[in-house]
Amino acid sequence: TLQNSYLDSLSEKIELNGGTVYPETSKNLVLIIDLKTNGELTIPVLIKVLISYPNLITNGNNLKIVMSGSMPLPATWDSYPDYIWFDGRPTVAYDTNALKRIALVSTNFKNYSNWDGTDSIPNQDDEKIVTLVDRVHAVKKPLRFWATPDTENTWAYLRKRQVDILGTDKVNELCNWLALNK
């Protein structure tokens, strides 16, 4: 369950570290919860679970709990507790209030390129990605792609283009690569 897999261990870490996820208070953690069911129905159930973890929902713990996937409409975001954040989309025009609730902006890499992560990315795809990075950073939000090719070449390209969050199914390999490519 979400509790067994994530919430229990995060709560223990925060307690162990005196109120923050990491001992280094400059580090932050984003827990993205990808809602596969209707967000308007699912988030209230999630909130009932989160209430039993007060150290996860306290400001200053360096943790952002972000809803992604089947999210409710941005116009309703203010009705949720302030410890609930949302995953924005680059194709949506958000008003000022909704923009304040966005923790990051995510999109499918395949909307911008069919590149397989080998050789070099085609120039026209690179231009689209650079434009997107600039747009997202202009509103002071981090960018994340999903469905990227899971290769070292892709990770290097995304870092070069200042994509803020690297997604992977190869967690150990990415950690090792990042350690070697600081």
Side-chain angles (χ1 to χ4, degrees), residues 9-10 12 35 50-51 68 77 88 100 105 126 144:
S9 58
L10 277 172
E12 289 172 14
L35 302 171
L50 289 170
I51 288 171
S68 188
W77 291 355
K100 290 177 188 174
V105 174
D126 179 52
R144 171 182 77 101

Side-chain angles (χ1 to χ4, degrees), residues 90-101:
T91 56
V92 177
Y94 296 99
D95 67 26
T96 305
N97 285 337
L99 197 57
K100 290 177 188 174
R101 297 298 298 267

Side-chain angles (χ1 to χ4, degrees), residues 51-180:
I51 288 171
S52 65
Y53 294 89
N55 63 351
L56 295 183
I57 59 177
T58 301
N59 285 333
N61 62 8
N62 299 25
L63 171 67
K64 280 191 178 176
I65 301 170
V66 179
M67 302 298 111
S68 188
S70 181
M71 296 178 290
L73 295 172
T76 67
W77 291 355
D78 279 344
S79 68
Y80 297 101
D82 63 357
Y83 58 83
I84 299 290
W85 294 79
F86 296 92
D87 185 8
R89 298 291 177 260
T91 56
V92 177
Y94 296 99
D95 67 26
T96 305
N97 285 337
L99 197 57
K100 290 177 188 174
R101 297 298 298 267
I102 293 174
L104 64 142
V105 174
S106 301
T107 190
N108 188 336
F109 185 80
K110 293 180 184 358
N111 291 338
Y112 296 84
S113 179
N114 289 317
W115 180 52
D116 66 2
T118 59
D119 300 320
S120 296
I121 191 167
N123 286 339
Q124 67 273 17
D125 295 354
D126 179 52
E127 290 171 12
K128 289 188 273 187
I129 289 168
V130 168
T131 299
L132 176 63
V133 169
D134 290 345
R135 270 190 25 236
V136 171
H137 288 172
V139 294
K140 300 186 179 352
K141 300 296 176 187
L143 176 64
R144 171 182 77 101
F145 284 105
W146 71 78
T148 59
D150 224 352
T151 67
E152 290 182 5
N153 196 35
T154 303
W155 303 333
Y157 167 76
L158 294 173
R159 284 190 68 197
K160 176 182 170 188
R161 288 297 178 231
Q162 300 179 342
V163 172
D164 304 283
I165 299 169
L166 302 179
T168 187
D169 290 327
K170 299 177 179 179
V171 176
N172 290 334
E173 292 89 336
L174 175 59
C175 288
N176 292 336
W177 183 85
L178 286 169
L180 295 171

Side-chain angles (χ1 to χ4, degrees), residues 18-30:
T20 60
V21 174
Y22 296 107
E24 304 86 2
T25 58
S26 62
K27 289 186 176 183
N28 299 301
L29 180 70
V30 176

Side-chain angles (χ1 to χ4, degrees), residues 1-8 31 33 46 49-50 53:
T1 67
L2 179 67
Q3 290 170 281
N4 293 338
S5 297
Y6 298 98
L7 302 183
D8 290 343
L31 173 63
I33 300 174
L46 178 62
V49 171
L50 289 170
Y53 294 89

